[in-house]
Amino acid sequence: MEVARIPQNEKQRLDVLKNYNILDSLPEEEYDAITKIASSICNTTIALVSIVDEDRQWFKSTYGIEATETPRELSFCAHSILKPNELFVINDATKDHRFFDNPLTVNAPNVIFYAGAPLNSSEGFPLGTLCVIDNKPNELNDSQRESLLLLSKQVVVLLELRKKNEELALSNDKIAKLNEQLNNFANRLTHDLKSPINGISFLLDVLKQDYISIFENTEAEEYISLIADRIVYVDSLINEILNYSKVTSENIVFKNFNLKELLDKIVVNIDFENKIILDANNLNLDIFSSQIGLVQIFQNLISNSRKFYDEDKSEIKVSFKEDIENYYFIYEDNGPGIEEKYWGKVFEMFETLGNNDPNNNNTGIGLATVKSIVKRLGGKIELKKRDEDKKGVCFYFYISKKKVIF
């Protein structure tokens, strides 16, 4: 009996094999289906998905045999991986000097015929074989040889997919832990910042109420008002940072809800002075999506329209359509609009228009939050010109009908 030599790249091969985390894993139907098909096509009694480890060959899938592994020194597959670019065939092991006295040939399962197609990793390392075995001499025709090679490639596809799924699961676990840490940090930070801000706000109220006669009609009164305004800004900034942290990390829950009812409730909660005219007549329909996600999106958009309108009324129009994969929205208002040169910047964190205005309390987080939510819902948002070059802003965005988590 001739024991297969160890490949020159054995250390690297074993390192790559370890990354697949396949050894000693449970049986899977997809692999079992391939071994059954391989046995049928090649007209053999046995078919295996064999992985060659350091000291053994382990079977991810078996057809026609109960064994789960054999020593590597007896393995036909250990010879096969030495020629990873070709089909390794032994028509009659009893007449081959390498195998005629091999215990696997002499005794059960009586490996007389063997054909192994390589399972090469994406890096080119042979992990094992898809092999077919019989207890009598045999030959494969060209069609059978081609089929066995094609099936071996499908095994590799399954191995790669399994590896990617495990990597994705690990990444999701890490992201979930990081999100939890981020939320804890954001909550702690906002709590620690809000306490002194509330204290300063209280002291300013005392100054305004108890010492108004001292500061009235002086520069000090103007400074106090400016400080109070900046405190409102900082408080808004903290709240929106916390909100951004939540909406970009919390779990997405899908449910059925009515779009028009959702928009009407947002307007009622925002428009205390009855300054908004909402055109959403074509949205009286139910969709299945993230209700809280769309509340956050439209609440930010409508709040901006209400905050920056420069007409007697803020006229808002929301259009909607759908196809098999996505929901599509167009949001328009009759406000001052956004210059095209700023269309990309407004979706970035802390980017605001009119930062030089001391009375501008816009934090530059709202549209960044909108973009993040849309992305988490499998979509995209962008600014466009309104039809007929009408005055105002026009946001176009879509979200996926599928549950997408980022």
Side-chain angles (χ1 to χ4, degrees):
M1 183 187 78
E2 183 178 313
V3 177
R5 63 177 174 81
I6 301 298
Q8 291 183 345
N9 60 0
E10 179 68 355
K11 184 180 183 304
Q12 295 95 321
R13 189 190 74 83
L14 290 174
D15 288 341
V16 170
L17 173 59
K18 184 178 179 181
N19 290 335
Y20 283 84
N21 198 28
I22 190 71
L23 293 168
D24 299 310
S25 59
L26 294 174
E28 297 177 52
E29 291 182 0
E30 294 84 356
Y31 297 90
D32 292 342
I34 290 178
T35 52
K36 185 175 182 180
I37 292 170
S39 173
S40 176
I41 290 175
C42 297
N43 195 27
T44 61
T45 57
I46 297 171
L48 308 168
V49 172
S50 174
I51 307 297
V52 180
D53 195 8
E54 184 175 6
D55 299 313
R56 58 172 176 158
Q57 64 171 354
W58 174 80
F59 306 137
K60 173 59 181 175
S61 175
T62 64
Y63 179 81
I65 191 173
E66 297 296 328
T68 58
E69 63 181 60
T70 64
R72 179 171 176 172
E73 62 186 23
L74 306 181
S75 169
F76 282 59
C77 297
H79 290 266
S80 180
I81 66 170
L82 297 175
K83 298 181 178 181
N85 298 317
E86 60 185 76
L87 193 66
F88 183 75
V89 181
I90 304 297
N91 294 321
D92 187 348
T94 63
K95 296 178 180 179
D96 190 298
H97 71 279
R98 294 168 293 181
F99 304 108
F100 74 95
D101 58 347
N102 187 307
L104 298 180
T105 299
V106 176
N107 304 312
N110 303 118
V111 180
I112 306 301
F113 169 78
Y114 172 93
L119 304 176
N120 294 329
S121 73
S122 56
E123 301 90 348
F125 293 99
L127 308 176
T129 69
L130 169 65
C131 61
V132 290
I133 296 169
D134 214 338
N135 55 14
K136 62 181 184 296
N138 200 348
E139 289 186 12
L140 297 182
N141 59 39
D142 290 343
S143 177
Q144 290 172 321
R145 295 170 74 95
E146 182 181 7
S147 296
L148 190 59
L149 286 168
L150 290 173
L151 286 172
S152 72
K153 294 183 187 302
Q154 291 304 306
V155 174
V156 173
V157 169
L158 289 176
L159 291 171
E160 295 288 349
L161 180 61
R162 188 179 189 279
K163 178 184 174 185
K164 293 296 182 184
N165 285 340
E166 288 200 347
E167 290 174 352
L168 181 60
L170 288 173
S171 296
N172 286 339
D173 287 343
K174 289 181 180 178
I175 290 172
K177 291 178 181 178
L178 288 173
N179 283 337
E180 183 179 359
Q181 292 173 1
L182 177 61
N183 282 334
N184 290 338
F185 172 77
N187 284 317
R188 180 61 184 270
L189 179 64
T190 53
H191 176 270
D192 291 347
L193 288 175
K194 273 182 171 293
S195 293
I197 288 172
N198 290 336
I200 295 172
S201 181
F202 172 76
L203 291 175
L204 282 173
D205 287 339
V206 171
L207 287 174
K208 286 180 181 179
Q209 293 176 15
D210 296 350
Y211 299 94
I212 187 64
S213 60
I214 298 176
F215 299 119
E216 194 172 13
N217 299 322
T218 67
E219 278 190 318
E221 183 182 20
E222 181 181 343
Y223 293 151
I224 289 173
S225 296
L226 185 60
I227 292 170
D229 185 69
R230 292 297 83 191
I231 287 176
V232 171
Y233 169 77
V234 173
D235 188 59
S236 298
L237 183 64
I238 292 171
N239 289 332
E240 291 195 28
I241 289 174
L242 180 60
N243 183 55
Y244 180 85
S245 171
K246 287 182 178 180
V247 301
T248 56
S249 60
E250 289 184 345
N251 290 334
I252 296 174
V253 178
F254 277 55
K255 61 186 294 186
N256 284 302
F257 58 92
N258 184 278
L259 275 174
K260 189 174 185 306
E261 291 177 2
L262 179 142
L263 289 170
D264 287 341
K265 288 180 181 177
I266 293 173
V267 170
V268 167
N269 290 329
I270 291 175
D271 189 24
F272 297 111
E273 298 175 317
N274 196 28
K275 295 291 186 179
I276 294 176
I277 300 174
L278 175 65
D279 179 359
N281 294 326
N282 68 329
L283 271 71
N284 191 15
L285 48 87
D286 290 346
I287 68 170
F288 183 73
S289 186
S290 169
Q291 183 176 13
I292 186 62
L294 283 172
V295 166
Q296 293 283 353
I297 291 169
F298 283 111
Q299 189 165 276
N300 274 287
L301 296 180
I302 295 172
S303 292
N304 282 344
S305 294
R306 176 65 183 85
K307 185 186 299 183
F308 299 112
Y309 80 103
D310 56 356
E311 302 287 347
D312 292 336
K313 297 280 188 178
S314 176
E315 297 176 5
I316 298 171
K317 180 179 180 181
V318 181
S319 306
F320 170 85
K321 66 177 182 178
E322 63 179 301
D323 59 22
I324 296 175
E325 295 184 347
N326 301 311
Y327 296 119
Y328 300 88
F329 297 88
I330 298 176
Y331 178 95
E332 303 172 84
D333 71 18
N334 65 334
I338 298 173
E339 290 185 59
E340 190 169 350
K341 63 182 179 180
Y342 297 122
W343 284 3
K345 277 193 168 185
V346 294
F347 293 108
E348 297 176 11
M349 284 280 283
F350 306 117
E351 287 288 347
T352 63
L353 305 181
N355 277 334
N356 294 326
D357 181 0
N359 295 316
N360 177 23
N361 287 327
N362 185 23
T363 62
I365 301 177
L367 289 180
T369 301
V370 168
K371 180 180 178 181
S372 179
I373 298 169
V374 169
K375 185 177 179 181
R376 288 197 74 202
L377 294 174
K380 184 179 179 180
I381 185 168
E382 58 186 346
L383 278 158
K384 292 186 176 182
K385 290 184 178 180
R386 297 189 71 190
D387 291 342
E388 303 174 356
D389 285 331
K390 290 180 181 177
K391 173 176 170 287
V393 75
C394 178
F395 288 96
Y396 168 85
F397 69 94
Y398 70 89
I399 58 175
S400 175
K401 290 184 175 181
K402 300 176 183 177
K403 294 184 180 181
V404 181
I405 301 177
F406 293 93

